[in-house]
Amino acid sequence: MQLIDSFGRTVNYVRLSVTDRCDLRCVYCMAEEMTFLPRNEVLSIEEFTSLGRAFVDLGVTKLRITGGEPLVRRGTIELLQNLGQLSALKELCLTTNGTHLPQYANAIRDAGVKRINISLDSLNPERFRQLTRFGDLDQVFAGIKAAQQAGLKIKLNCVALKHYNADEVPQLVQFALDEGLDISFIEEMPLGKISEHGRAAEYVSSDELRSQLSRDYRLLAQENSHADAGPSRYWQVDGCNTRIGFISPHSHNFCGSCNRVRVTATGRLLLCLGNEHSVDLREQLRSEHYSETALRERIINAMQHKPERHYFDLHNEPQIVRFMNMTGG
Ligand code: SAM
Ligand code: SF4
């Protein structure tokens, strides 16, 4: 069984956003004042488990748990444990801001997770606080350490912004090298309306960052060896294990090889990061006529609504009003 969209792309990777809440307020991700979802609108752990099972039955081999911050939701570990039991699932991953990893890293590993993404936009405590509005960088460092001690493979994620942290990119790469981690740099996407900065003014292209890094490191282009490489293009630092990834929604459109869909905390199946095309799965999950077959059918039919590509416009009002914490990055 496979999920195939109307452009012939196979969807084998699903991200589940288990909450829109977070203990940080990154300036590119959320507005300062946010209204969060009432709890009864958010899918239960059982409902997320049913969804995970349905997707795996339909040929999905990789699930990523994200948010919001997944580790602020009680029940995320239980969900990981449930999904970790699905024998046809090849990869169970997590994206986190790292602040709760000292508490949960071992449980995450024991649930069957091998690789996690940790967001890290600066190594400077003051800047980190500014970027996250009140975050404590030491908590993230402690989280990275806990994940390393638990034996989890880590990729750092950094949203590069021209006037906030672009000058720190070489230091962030050096940190990744010293710690033996991978790192990806992401071009900011115009999701939701924020007031701190204009998205266009902060734009810095992946190519700009890569040529800056090429002055200090010999970077070897990698074939998209990973089946799941998706939008990331990777370079290996010569002589090291560290890979540097670039996710470039503006400068290098990656839609042709898109293999993923997302489910929001309310059970909306989002077919594209940069479009509003979606299908309500919660209605099906909560229907008195619920059946696994009907749920699977809804998912299969939804693939026909997956758009060909995204169109992001940095210079005008964002066309996508949902923030990344709702989207499930
Ligand atoms: N809270 C977790 C974290 O920060 O890793 C998981 C959710 S967060 C929404 C997932 C990823 O999306 C993070 O790496 C974050 O930096 C990225 N992100 C958030 N808003 C973004 C935006 N507007 N453009 C690009 N990436 C964004
Ligand atoms: Fe929270 Fe992650 Fe969004 Fe930052 S990027 S506000 S940590 S959900």
Side-chain angles (χ1 to χ4, degrees):
M1 199 70 190
Q2 278 195 321
L3 287 172
I4 299 181
D5 76 358
S6 55
F7 300 95
R9 295 171 296 194
T10 301
V11 171
N12 53 16
Y13 178 11
V14 178
R15 296 184 173 198
L16 302 174
S17 173
V18 296
T19 179
D20 61 332
R21 291 168 198 249
C22 187
D23 53 341
L24 302 180
R25 295 281 183 281
C26 301
V27 290
Y28 47 78
C29 176
M30 292 195 192
E32 185 151 20
E33 296 297 326
M34 294 287 289
T35 309
F36 293 107
L37 292 163
R39 286 186 204 279
N40 62 349
E41 288 195 17
V42 174
L43 295 191
S44 68
I45 295 304
E46 292 69 31
E47 287 168 330
F48 272 119
T49 304
S50 301
L51 276 185
R53 194 179 311 113
F55 279 112
V56 172
D57 286 348
L58 291 167
V60 166
T61 53
K62 177 169 175 178
L63 291 175
R64 177 177 299 282
I65 302 304
T66 182
E69 173 47 42
L71 297 180
V72 302
R73 171 157 187 189
R74 225 175 300 141
T76 293
I77 298 295
E78 185 190 335
L79 176 62
L80 289 170
Q81 288 164 345
N82 295 347
L83 299 175
Q85 312 274 320
L86 300 171
S87 54
L89 183 64
K90 292 200 184 121
E91 252 201 295
L92 179 59
C93 303
L94 177 79
T95 299
T96 172
N97 63 28
T99 59
H100 287 68
L101 284 172
Q103 193 182 346
Y104 293 122
N106 287 344
I108 290 167
R109 175 206 56 209
D110 293 345
V113 174
K114 296 200 172 52
R115 298 199 302 154
I116 62 172
N117 290 352
I118 303 178
S119 295
L120 180 67
D121 297 322
S122 176
L123 299 169
N124 173 315
E126 199 38 57
R127 242 188 211 187
F128 182 80
R129 191 183 315 280
Q130 194 194 356
L131 275 159
T132 56
R133 294 205 181 88
F134 46 73
D136 175 0
L137 182 58
D138 280 339
Q139 282 186 333
V140 182
F141 286 145
I144 292 173
K145 189 169 242 167
Q148 286 173 314
Q149 282 167 353
L152 291 163
K153 183 150 174 49
I154 300 168
K155 177 167 78 75
L156 301 174
N157 272 343
C158 171
V159 176
L161 303 170
K162 195 169 211 120
H163 301 100
Y164 285 90
N165 63 351
D167 60 334
E168 250 193 277
V169 164
Q171 286 100 296
L172 284 158
V173 166
Q174 191 55 51
F175 176 78
L177 285 167
D178 293 343
E179 298 294 326
L181 315 175
D182 290 338
I183 185 163
S184 280
F185 295 100
I186 307 171
E187 291 175 355
E188 184 190 20
M189 295 173 233
L191 301 177
K193 192 166 161 44
I194 51 169
S195 51
E196 271 84 356
H197 60 265
R199 308 264 194 192
E202 292 305 324
Y203 174 62
V204 48
S205 77
S206 299
D207 289 348
E208 227 173 306
L209 297 180
R210 192 162 53 80
S211 66
Q212 184 187 358
L213 288 169
S214 301
R215 286 182 225 134
D216 297 327
Y217 305 101
R218 212 165 99 80
L219 302 180
L220 310 174
Q222 295 254 283
E223 286 299 308
N224 266 6
S225 45
H226 264 243
D228 64 38
S232 267
R233 293 168 311 128
Y234 284 103
W235 271 260
Q236 181 101 32
V237 181
D238 196 14
C240 307
N241 287 330
T242 293
R243 294 188 320 155
I244 305 179
F246 294 94
I247 302 176
S248 323
H250 303 290
S251 57
H252 292 271
N253 183 281
F254 45 66
C255 302
S257 60
C258 184
N259 64 345
R260 62 200 59 192
V261 293
R262 296 168 165 81
V263 181
T264 69
T266 57
R268 190 154 73 99
L269 175 60
L270 277 178
L271 295 147
C272 172
L273 192 59
N275 283 284
E276 292 295 4
H277 301 61
S278 70
V279 169
D280 185 1
L281 298 180
R282 186 180 64 188
E283 184 198 35
Q284 188 69 53
L285 282 160
R286 295 188 179 174
S287 151
E288 56 180 302
H289 305 297
Y290 170 76
S291 75
E292 289 185 3
T293 312
L295 178 62
R296 284 198 298 262
E297 255 166 39
R298 188 167 285 210
I299 294 171
I300 292 169
N301 293 336
M303 292 304 122
Q304 300 317 306
H305 302 292
K306 186 166 167 61
E308 186 173 14
R309 55 165 297 171
H310 66 248
Y311 295 92
F312 285 135
D313 177 356
L314 287 174
H315 297 278
N316 293 304
E317 288 281 294
Q319 301 95 318
I320 304 293
V321 291
R322 78 184 126 74
F323 287 98
M324 190 60 129
N325 72 308
M326 273 302 298
T327 305

